[in-house]
Amino acid sequence: MVKICGIGAGYVGGPTMAVIALKCPSIEVAVVDISHSRISAWNSQKLPIYEPGLEEVVKQCRGKNLLFSTDVEKHVHEADIIFVSVNTPTKIRGLGAGKAADLTYWESAARMIADVSKSNKIVVEKSTVPVRTAEAIEKILAHNSKGIKYQILSNPEFLSEGTAIQDLLKPDRVLIGGNEEPEGQKAILKLKSVYANWVPEDRIITTNLWSAELSKLADNAFMAQRISSINAMSALCEATGAEVSQVSNVLCKNTKLGPKYLNASVGFGGSCFQKDILNLVYICESNGLMEVANYWKEVIKVNDYQKSRFVNKVVTSMFNTVSGKKIAILGFAFKKDTSDTRKTPAIDVCKGLLGDNACLSIYDPRVTEDQIQKDLSMDGVEWDHPIHLQPTSSTTVKQVNVVGDAYEATKDAHGICILTEWDEFKTIDYQRVFDNMQKPAFIFDGRNILNVDKLREIGFIVYSIGRPLDQWLKNTPQQA
Ligand SMILES: NC(=O)c1ccc[n+]([C@@H]2O[C@H](COP(=O)([O-])OP(=O)(O)OC[C@H]3O[C@@H](n4cnc5c(N)ncnc54)[C@H](O)[C@@H]3O)[C@@H](O)[C@H]2O)c1
Ligand SMILES: O=c1ccn([C@@H]2O[C@H](COP(=O)(O)OP(=O)(O)O[C@H]3O[C@H](CO)[C@@H](O)[C@H](O)[C@H]3O)[C@@H](O)[C@H]2O)c(=O)[nH]1
């Protein structure tokens, strides 16, 4: 029986390994992590991450061919194929700080694999890594090999949070990069045979190692670039009276462009886009390609601009100050259907409003009060490091109140900011909300999910990204 060990039981490792176990009943899958709290949550009724459909998959396989354990060394030792899905955050200090990927966790996983292995292994890079990481990993393994042979494959993950299970069950592509020697090709075939249990062969792309590693960074950079492009257009729409959803609809229908990643928003968030673009920028700079680096940097600059533009719009609309005013924040996660807040635009928007002394009443259907307080009370913390290494905070932000539903959040508020596109925000009784708010009542839709005409009929002053401005907003100074 083939044995697989997945190192790292996070947003990627947990769902990915669970789906492999589901689709390959003859393979034993062990998911291991250094975080005891994460592993005990995977073994409990309340999984450590929220993903639609995940619970069903885990319940079906756990205790059969899927197990979660902190006994990292035992399961690595027993495995034929080892998937490494550990954190690769942006470095926060030292050479390349603020841009380069921090490979500390990857390196320690590789050293541990070398320490405990007694048979040949295929080591699979699932984490997103800088191009040519496989070379470094190979050196670590080879120098400690005791005669054991390792084949390194790059098999980057393309799942999106919120749709992870669907993405894994029906991937548009699976990418496997390996070295071009016969042993490398044999390893590619072995991994391909795992995916072939449920993925049609024509969706499995094989490349050399460096193309696979770079394709993952390019993939994220291209998606983020489209969002920054439409967000840049949204500013121009507001200035000219064009409507960004109409513009993006025209672009979507262009078969040369395709329909996705053209929704204007308050900015992209999530643990991947910014980190991976910074990583790409660093690789370009290291190769002396300054023009290419500068091109990709602009994608992040426009994203930062979009978030600060939003904050400016809120403050300037509300008589140039939100000091002491209650602002309801609906949605804190970086997108709907996830509890993840890593790099969510809500952090920057909330901090911007707090900077102007607002009182925030925050509601998100999936994010805990503790997480929101941590995100807002601690500066410069990189949440993308393993959970047990993250600092704990005993302070809370006094001007932040986290509440249990949208009606409570908006009661007596002067303004509402929609920061995540949760479906439930579309069906709120906005007349009831309006009746219970201070007047004039403002609503700032950072996700373009609301019916602007209906809200205006009710009496709201509405700002919706990239849409024609209310007379009220037209008369406020444009500081963006
Ligand atoms: N989150 C996503 O949607 C997504 C999608 C595709 C790729 N990725 C990439 O996958 C990687 C993991 O991302 P994630 O979101 O799952 O992170 P995560 O923080 O949710 O999970 C990583 C896990 O690895 C564990 N870990 C770290 N070092 C370890 C070690 N030496 N031994 C055992 N366990 C260790 C941590 O405790 C943590 O639980 C990153 O490189 C990321 O860029 C993420
Ligand atoms: O038209 C759009 C599409 C997305 N977003 C925002 O962009 C961010 C990222 O969204 P999404 O790509 O759906 O989620 P992620 O889970 O971050 O997934 C991305 O990052 C993963 C980690 O590398 C990759 O595996 C996925 O392919 C890639 O889509 C979120 O804040 C979204 O709200 C927009 O603002 N407009």
Side-chain angles (χ1 to χ4, degrees):
M1 190 184 220
V2 175
K3 286 194 178 181
I4 287 182
C5 176
I7 305 181
Y11 284 90
V12 168
T16 313
M17 294 300 114
V19 167
I20 291 182
L22 180 77
K23 292 294 180 182
C24 312
S26 65
I27 297 181
E28 240 176 57
V29 182
V31 192
V32 297
D33 203 290
I34 41 178
S35 161
H36 286 255
S37 63
R38 266 220 162 147
I39 290 298
S40 60
W42 281 108
N43 282 320
S44 75
Q45 292 306 312
K46 191 166 172 2
L47 302 183
I49 59 176
Y50 171 70
E51 266 301 332
L54 175 65
E55 209 173 281
E56 289 79 358
V57 175
V58 170
K59 279 189 177 150
Q60 229 173 303
C61 310
R62 196 171 56 188
K64 292 180 189 148
N65 64 333
L66 174 69
L67 68 88
F68 296 92
S69 168
T70 50
D71 198 344
V72 182
E73 301 186 354
K74 171 179 183 287
H75 293 288
V76 166
H77 163 74
E78 288 175 358
D80 308 290
I81 306 177
I82 302 165
F83 287 81
V84 185
S85 317
V86 300
N87 321 62
T88 52
T90 306
K91 262 181 108 169
I92 43 180
R93 58 181 68 86
L95 188 66
K99 284 184 219 156
D102 180 351
L103 293 176
T104 312
Y105 307 108
W106 233 109
E107 183 172 338
S108 92
R111 287 184 187 281
M112 183 271 303
I113 294 171
D115 277 350
V116 306
S117 294
K118 296 206 165 51
S119 56
N120 297 347
K121 313 271 182 217
I122 295 176
V123 177
V124 183
E125 290 175 347
K126 256 272 164 241
S127 304
T128 305
V129 291
V131 61
R132 297 201 85 90
T133 297
E135 196 170 41
I137 300 303
E138 191 161 27
K139 281 187 186 141
I140 293 170
L141 294 171
H143 277 87
N144 300 283
S145 81
K146 300 166 281 185
I148 293 162
K149 293 219 158 44
Y150 297 98
Q151 276 303 321
I152 322 277
L153 297 178
S154 165
N155 173 219
E157 184 46 60
F158 295 115
L159 67 79
S160 293
E161 289 179 29
T163 53
I165 296 300
Q166 275 319 306
D167 295 344
L168 289 165
L169 290 173
K170 282 191 177 195
D172 47 12
R173 69 235 132 111
V174 165
L175 173 58
I176 307 176
N179 92 41
E180 281 147 331
E181 306 299 315
E183 284 306 306
Q185 295 301 305
K186 225 169 108 184
I188 290 181
L189 283 181
K190 188 152 181 181
L191 185 55
K192 213 173 158 182
S193 72
V194 172
Y195 284 109
N197 282 293
W198 79 99
V199 181
E201 189 162 354
D202 60 357
R203 296 214 183 154
I204 306 179
I205 308 170
T206 58
T207 64
N208 75 27
L209 273 167
W210 324 127
S211 302
E213 289 176 336
L214 184 56
S215 297
K216 173 63 194 177
L217 297 179
D219 209 57
N220 277 353
F222 272 58
M223 284 184 275
Q225 176 266 328
R226 276 174 74 109
I227 301 169
S228 279
S229 297
I230 199 70
N231 281 345
M233 275 308 154
S234 75
L236 192 54
C237 285
E238 287 164 29
T240 58
E243 181 155 339
V244 76
S245 51
Q246 293 179 353
V247 174
S248 70
N249 189 40
V250 174
L251 303 181
C252 282
K253 295 281 186 313
N254 177 349
T255 51
K256 287 173 275 186
L257 290 174
K260 305 226 170 119
Y261 284 79
L262 285 173
N263 286 328
S265 66
V266 60
F268 59 75
S271 64
C272 296
F273 281 176
Q274 175 159 326
K275 159 177 89 74
D276 295 345
I277 293 176
L278 288 171
N279 185 349
L280 194 63
V281 165
Y282 184 71
I283 297 168
C284 293
E285 287 174 352
S286 307
N287 282 284
L289 303 170
M290 303 317 275
E291 286 76 6
V292 186
N294 289 339
Y295 173 77
W296 289 111
K297 263 190 215 164
E298 289 302 318
V299 172
I300 295 176
K301 274 199 201 158
V302 169
N303 198 46
D304 289 339
Y305 166 70
Q306 189 74 346
K307 290 181 275 189
S308 61
R309 209 167 74 78
F310 188 85
V311 173
N312 287 349
K313 199 63 80 181
V314 176
V315 177
T316 52
S317 307
M318 298 175 79
F319 317 103
N320 233 12
T321 178
V322 287
S323 181
K325 292 177 186 166
K326 176 173 172 178
I327 309 288
I329 303 292
L330 299 188
F332 199 82
F334 82 96
K335 61 187 281 197
K336 74 171 180 176
D337 292 336
T338 178
S339 53
D340 196 351
T341 62
R342 289 179 290 180
K343 286 276 180 284
T344 176
I347 296 179
D348 293 312
V349 170
C350 288
K351 283 189 172 174
L353 295 173
L354 287 168
D356 211 84
N357 220 16
C359 299
L360 305 183
S361 184
I362 305 180
Y363 166 65
D364 186 288
R366 289 281 167 188
V367 183
T368 62
E369 177 169 4
D370 182 51
Q371 186 61 49
I372 291 173
Q373 281 291 355
K374 267 197 213 161
D375 284 334
L376 296 180
S377 66
M378 291 157 82
D379 256 349
V381 173
E382 190 46 81
W383 294 119
D384 209 15
H385 290 261
I387 219 156
H388 66 291
L389 298 179
Q390 291 172 11
T392 49
S393 165
S394 50
T395 56
T396 54
V397 183
K398 280 201 296 297
Q399 282 152 281
V400 170
N401 195 19
V402 180
V403 299
D405 72 59
Y407 295 104
E408 196 184 343
T410 52
K411 190 167 177 339
D412 295 324
H414 290 78
I416 301 173
C417 299
I418 308 271
L419 299 185
T420 314
E421 71 282 20
W422 287 102
D423 288 337
E424 67 175 71
F425 298 155
K426 295 179 191 163
T427 54
I428 291 173
D429 178 353
Y430 281 99
Q431 180 67 57
R432 178 178 157 197
V433 167
F434 179 80
D435 293 342
N436 289 322
M437 283 177 69
Q438 307 276 346
K439 306 295 177 321
F442 295 85
I443 192 156
F444 303 89
D445 183 358
R447 295 292 183 167
N448 286 355
I449 55 169
L450 301 181
N451 183 329
V452 172
D453 293 337
K454 268 199 185 151
L455 292 173
R456 285 186 182 139
E457 257 169 46
I458 292 172
F460 281 104
I461 294 166
V462 188
Y463 167 73
S464 191
I465 284 181
R467 291 191 170 154
L469 299 176
D470 275 13
Q471 202 52 43
W472 179 292
L473 298 168
K474 274 191 197 149
N475 295 336
T476 60
Q478 304 287 304
Q479 293 199 356

